Amino acid sequence: VLLEQGDAIAAGVCTVAPCDTPRDLAALYLCGADSDYVTRDDARAVRQVFPRARFVWLRQAGHWVHADQPHRFDTAVRTFLDALH
């Protein structure tokens, strides 16, 4: 679905504000250290739009971070959410 509808999804997001406009939103990106799906360069690009983005690279995890490291995934999400309060 994302591959087929990616352009439509992005178009919808960009109608709220231009896609290069920084958004003051907290965002958590959980990345597998063993995956090249999200790179450090990607993180820099994301921070241009989401300056408050937090990136966590979990060791011994590939693209499916939640499946490879469920406890670390859970801990990272809970820590992030707790910090929002």
Side-chain angles (χ1 to χ4, degrees):
V1 171
L2 288 177
L3 289 176
E4 294 173 7
Q5 301 298 323
D7 290 339
I9 293 168
V13 169
C14 294
T15 59
V16 175
C19 283
D20 60 352
T21 301
R23 289 158 170 81
D24 186 30
L25 300 171
L28 175 64
Y29 287 77
L30 291 176
C31 311
D34 296 340
S35 171
D36 61 357
Y37 193 77
V38 177
T39 66
R40 307 284 175 176
D41 288 337
D42 294 330
R44 283 189 281 280
V46 166
R47 284 192 181 105
Q48 296 299 310
V49 179
F50 296 100
R52 294 176 50 204
R54 174 169 165 72
F55 283 80
V56 176
W57 275 269
L58 297 179
R59 294 182 314 263
Q60 299 177 336
H63 178 64
W64 286 43
V65 180
H66 63 288
D68 294 338
Q69 292 294 336
H71 179 70
R72 289 182 181 160
F73 178 90
D74 182 62
T75 299
V77 170
R78 288 175 186 272
T79 300
F80 175 77
L81 293 175
D82 287 347
L84 295 178
H85 291 98

